[in-house]
Amino acid sequence: MDNLSANEQRELQNRMERKQMKEFMNMYSNLVQKCFEDCVNDFTTKSLHSKEEGCVMRCVDKFLKTSERVGQRFAEQNATMMQNAGAGSLGR
């Protein structure tokens, strides 16, 4: 990125931010769809029944914990790869 002009850096940053927002919205949409399909089955009232509400809360909690764990594993793998790449370049 050092060889990009200030305008190009801003444009790249804007594109990255838009991509991240799009990915977040896609993830959120998938979460809502999955939890709704798994938990909501009574459409006779506007509000959720306590059983449905509990199911939605567990679904969201499980999704968030899973996402956090995947992120941790990704960071661990990335750190290992960076260490291996650093160790490989030292041996030259």
Side-chain angles (χ1 to χ4, degrees):
M1 268 183 62
D2 292 339
N3 56 352
L4 298 177
S5 70
N7 284 340
E8 290 170 328
Q9 287 181 7
R10 275 194 302 276
E11 178 61 27
L12 180 60
Q13 183 68 27
N14 287 338
R15 285 183 184 193
M16 289 170 53
E17 288 172 3
R18 285 193 303 268
K19 183 173 175 39
Q20 286 177 332
M21 181 57 78
K22 185 177 179 180
E23 288 173 359
F24 171 78
M25 294 305 294
N26 190 33
M27 181 186 73
Y28 177 78
S29 177
N30 289 337
L31 170 64
V32 169
Q33 182 177 352
K34 170 145 182 44
C35 292
F36 182 84
E37 288 174 355
D38 288 353
C39 297
V40 180
N41 49 32
D42 182 3
F43 298 98
T44 59
T45 65
K46 290 193 285 185
S47 59
L48 294 173
H49 292 277
S50 61
K51 184 177 178 182
E52 293 171 326
E53 189 172 347
C55 179
V56 168
M57 295 301 284
R58 286 187 302 278
C59 180
V60 170
D61 186 53
K62 187 175 185 177
F63 181 88
L64 292 175
K65 286 179 180 175
T66 301
S67 295
E68 180 180 2
R69 182 65 183 137
V70 168
Q72 288 172 344
R73 291 291 296 147
F74 179 76
E76 290 167 6
Q77 291 293 324
N78 192 37
T80 301
M81 287 172 43
M82 295 301 277
Q83 278 182 329
N84 291 341
S89 66
L90 291 176
R92 290 183 186 180

